[in-house]
Amino acid sequence: PAAVPKPAVTQDEIAHGERFGKIIAPLSDYEISADDAARIWVLVAKEYWRKARRRLRAGPAYRWRYSGRTPERVLIAPPDLRLADPQIALEIYHGRFPLAGHMVESGGRSPFQLEVANRGWRKSLHGFRWLRHMRAAGTDLAAANARALVSDWIASHGNHIAGVAWEPGTTARRIIAWLQHSSVVLQGAEFPFYRAFLKSLAVQIRYLRSMAREMPDGKERLRARIALAFAALSLPAPPSALRAATRHLAEELDHQILPDGGHISRNPLSVLEILADLLPLKQTYANQAEAPPAAVMGAIDRMLPALRFFRHQDGSLARFNGMGATIHDRIAAVLHHDDTAGAPLLHAPHSGYERLATGGVTVIADTGAPPPAEVADAAHAGCLSFELSCGRQHYIVNAGVDTYGAAEFRPLARATAAHSTATLNDSSCARISHSLRLGQPAGAPLIGGPRHVPCHRTDQDGRQGFIARHDGYAQRFGILHERELTLSADGLTLAGRDRFLAAGGGKIAGNGHDDVSVRFHLHPDVGLLHEAPDRFVLSAPGAERWSFTCAEVQPQVEESIYFAALGGPRRSRQIVLSFRAGEVPQVRWTLARNGLAGHSGSRR
């Protein structure tokens, strides 16, 4: 049958998650160990220290250090790989600012003077990446508007180092954007504005240079180092400044980019965003007759295959650890610079992922422990979850995240039950520290959870597969979860086995703490037919039909939420295998292709 589009989900309905089955597992029952509590307090202390240092560096005692010689000109405008839309330039001209998934109308006032509650919108506004739309418009009117808005920012925020506008991450994005689009901002500019622009840029660069070492670990600190390298190349600077910027960038790349090309946060989106800055930086080195540093070239050479590793055949990235909806053209623009060609890697041991791909079928699975707490503010409790696509159609997915949705619902998408894996006793395998008391200063890091996730490949005779195990439930319930996936050589069958073992060996005690739910979240476009007690058929218009079967446990259907849709959360469904691990220590299930979807049968 043709799949019926699932309507969007309102925030009120998300808040009352019981309407969608058990996608939302309780988070409050996770007891924090002494080690985890210590890690949280260390994060809190570090963040308070950073904020105190930032306030000090913004005060009069430090501010004089940001003054100095004003550059005479911009030597080169680096390229920008991000998508540009001239229509957005027209919207901004008329006082409508569609940023970070949120539309704000200025009503003739300066956007930099508006009181807007949406923090993402404010960070996007002060980051100035929207200047690319003015450049794409290519008109004198767009250039004049860009110049007026930059002048407005300099007048309202240029001399007051405080707030979102001067957060180091936002400052780094603004420096890169001002350099990349300096040609349109300075087009037709008079000398006073030209000097004011360069003077403000120089102050921001000196400020960011002083703050970079104080920034927390993660992609924002790496972007700051990239911004400083851009500045050393694009503005007149002594050779020592370029050498220092290059050295600091190389150190950060070696620390954050793993040997298999993944990022230490384990977020596929981080790989895409970093590449979107690194590739123009590489070209800027070349345009200035400078050899790109070996660390930059090495990072790019590792990250491009990693980006392809996370990519399904329709071009979207797998929804793990902070990944939401994919903007396909952005990936295409980045992969245009990939000269490696060939099939993606199948094994990313340092990032903690596995890929099975043959016969037009792609399976991507999370087989790694959570990242370090300092970079785990977007990490998910989705260990051993997987996604399956065939051709351009997704069948089994994770819920993903609503990138621009309400922040208070983000923990729901990060819970184990929002992933295609097993939950034990309706609880997550790791805790998301999102309490107001601790969460505000330290973000919302993932703590606890699996510490050991051994995994090995079982490829043989054309079949691809792996066996992995995690101990995320061992401390609380004394149970280990092991998952084995095998994709046949022709791509017609994905065989799975979920096994539950006593952490100390022996048999699982049936003490009422062994309730298992193995979940398979369906993409919203997938229809579902119940053909037999142990058999469901998954179908989508013009795509292959897949049969899901399980002999040991009768599958059930529950409602679910797909957070990662472009238009916001959508209703979906999930197949659930529920049983007691003490009675059924393992289940075997199969997903098998049945040819193109038909138009008969009863729908459930």
Side-chain angles (χ1 to χ4, degrees):
V4 178
K6 309 297 188 302
V9 183
T10 66
Q11 292 188 354
D12 286 343
E13 290 173 324
I14 295 174
H16 295 83
E18 65 272 9
R19 295 189 55 182
F20 301 94
K22 293 180 179 179
I23 178 176
I24 301 166
L27 304 176
S28 59
D29 64 345
Y30 192 112
E31 295 182 2
I32 302 178
S33 67
D35 289 344
D36 291 334
R39 291 189 185 97
I40 294 174
W41 283 113
V42 167
L43 290 177
V44 171
K46 284 183 177 180
E47 188 60 26
Y48 276 126
W49 173 247
R50 290 189 190 102
K51 288 183 176 181
R53 297 275 291 179
R54 180 182 162 195
R55 284 194 295 270
L56 176 64
R57 291 175 185 271
Y62 262 86
R63 195 172 301 173
W64 64 270
R65 298 190 179 190
Y66 309 139
S67 61
R69 181 174 174 270
T70 299
E72 296 179 358
R73 65 190 184 278
V74 178
L75 299 175
I76 188 172
D80 189 353
L81 298 184
R82 290 177 172 83
L83 300 176
D85 184 354
Q87 183 61 37
I88 296 180
L90 185 61
E91 291 285 335
I92 291 175
Y93 176 76
H94 289 291
R96 295 186 291 269
F97 291 79
L99 307 174
H102 190 64
M103 172 69 81
V104 171
E105 295 194 27
S106 64
R109 299 172 58 197
S110 165
F112 303 108
Q113 300 295 334
L114 299 178
E115 297 292 334
V116 179
N118 188 291
R119 181 177 175 81
W121 184 90
R122 287 183 284 134
K123 291 176 68 173
S124 182
L125 176 71
H126 290 285
F128 276 87
R129 279 181 176 169
W130 41 266
L131 284 174
R132 68 188 187 273
H133 306 303
M134 275 74 162
R135 190 179 69 173
T139 64
D140 292 339
L141 182 64
N145 193 33
R147 189 163 56 253
L149 288 167
V150 170
S151 179
D152 194 12
W153 187 91
I154 293 173
S156 59
H157 292 277
N159 295 319
H160 183 57
I161 302 177
V164 171
W166 283 89
E167 288 180 355
T170 304
T171 303
R173 284 190 290 272
R174 184 170 57 252
I175 290 171
I176 295 173
W178 280 21
L179 290 171
Q180 287 178 327
H181 306 293
S182 56
S183 58
V184 67
V185 173
L186 298 176
Q187 177 182 329
E190 296 181 354
F191 183 74
F193 173 80
Y194 197 102
R195 293 291 293 172
F197 175 83
L198 290 174
K199 181 179 180 180
S200 177
L201 196 53
V203 169
Q204 294 175 56
I205 291 167
R206 295 185 187 105
Y207 168 75
L208 184 63
R209 189 180 294 127
S210 74
M211 293 299 301
R213 66 178 67 90
E214 307 285 348
M215 294 175 67
D217 201 0
K219 67 179 180 181
E220 294 291 351
R221 190 168 74 191
L222 177 54
R223 183 177 288 116
R225 292 303 183 187
I226 293 173
L228 293 172
F230 269 123
L233 289 164
S234 302
L235 299 172
S240 59
L242 179 58
R243 287 196 299 269
T246 299
R247 183 180 69 254
H248 291 311
L249 174 59
E251 292 171 354
E252 206 61 51
L253 286 170
D254 289 342
H255 167 62
Q256 293 200 29
I257 306 304
L258 300 171
D260 56 23
H263 185 252
I264 55 173
S265 66
R266 304 190 66 234
N267 186 347
L269 182 60
S270 295
V271 177
L272 175 62
E273 290 184 343
I274 293 168
L275 276 171
D277 287 328
L278 273 186
L279 287 167
L281 180 63
K282 169 190 170 184
Q283 187 172 335
T284 305
Y285 272 102
N287 290 343
Q288 288 292 68
E290 294 279 349
V296 171
M297 298 299 295
I300 290 173
D301 289 344
R302 298 195 306 274
M303 294 175 75
L304 284 169
L307 183 63
R308 294 168 62 228
F309 175 95
F310 290 113
R311 197 182 185 210
H312 287 280
Q313 292 187 62
D314 70 334
S316 62
L317 297 182
R319 289 147 286 258
F320 295 104
N321 290 303
M323 186 64 209
T326 299
I327 301 176
H328 298 272
D329 290 347
R330 182 183 298 176
I331 296 179
V334 169
L335 289 180
H336 177 71
H337 297 266
D338 186 5
D339 299 325
T340 60
L345 300 174
L346 297 178
H347 186 43
H350 302 279
S351 299
Y353 291 97
E354 296 292 336
R355 180 184 174 100
L356 315 177
T358 185
V361 176
T362 301
V363 176
I364 305 174
D366 180 344
T367 57
E374 219 177 4
V375 292
D377 57 324
H380 292 192
C383 193
L384 302 193
S385 63
F386 77 100
E387 294 194 335
L388 179 146
S389 64
C390 180
R392 300 184 62 82
Q393 178 61 51
H394 293 247
Y395 290 88
I396 306 299
V397 296
N398 294 318
V401 299
D402 181 9
T403 306
Y404 301 123
E408 58 265 31
F409 298 133
R410 188 67 61 86
L412 309 182
R414 298 171 63 189
T416 304
H419 297 76
S420 293
T421 186
T423 59
L424 194 60
N425 299 315
D426 285 336
S427 62
S428 285
C429 67
R431 181 182 177 83
I432 301 163
S433 177
H434 63 288
S435 70
L436 292 177
R437 185 165 64 98
L438 296 179
Q440 290 293 82
L446 196 74
I447 58 174
R451 296 174 184 258
H452 303 287
V453 190
C455 176
H456 69 274
R457 298 283 296 198
T458 58
D459 301 350
Q460 186 177 9
D461 299 329
R463 298 189 304 272
Q464 298 178 15
F466 67 86
I467 300 176
R469 177 188 299 177
H470 83 75
D471 60 354
Y473 292 114
Q475 181 177 349
R476 284 176 291 162
F477 307 121
I479 295 176
L480 306 175
H481 174 208
E482 180 181 274
R483 168 163 278 182
E484 178 179 2
L485 295 182
T486 304
L487 183 63
S488 61
D490 53 12
L492 295 179
T493 303
L494 177 67
R497 182 188 68 166
D498 285 291
R499 187 180 177 201
F500 300 88
L501 310 165
K507 187 178 179 180
I508 295 175
N511 55 7
H513 296 290
D514 60 343
D515 290 331
V516 174
S517 295
V518 183
R519 305 174 187 282
F520 303 85
H521 293 276
L522 306 180
H523 190 275
D525 292 338
V526 171
L528 194 62
L529 291 173
H530 195 183
E531 290 197 339
D534 66 341
R535 175 186 173 93
F536 284 96
V537 174
L538 288 61
S539 64
E544 301 270 5
R545 291 162 56 101
W546 284 74
S547 295
F548 178 91
T549 56
C550 178
E552 291 88 356
V553 177
Q554 183 173 330
Q556 303 295 325
V557 177
E558 296 179 4
E559 289 187 87
S560 182
I561 309 174
Y562 181 67
F563 287 101
L566 279 171
R570 292 175 60 188
R571 289 175 170 81
S572 60
R573 284 175 289 183
Q574 55 179 315
I575 298 173
V576 183
L577 306 176
S578 299
F579 54 93
R580 288 186 176 276
E583 300 171 359
V584 184
Q586 72 174 18
V587 292
R588 296 180 182 271
W589 48 267
T590 302
L591 280 158
R593 291 161 76 173
N594 293 337
L596 290 178
H599 294 277
S600 62
S602 60
R603 180 182 177 85
R604 177 170 177 173

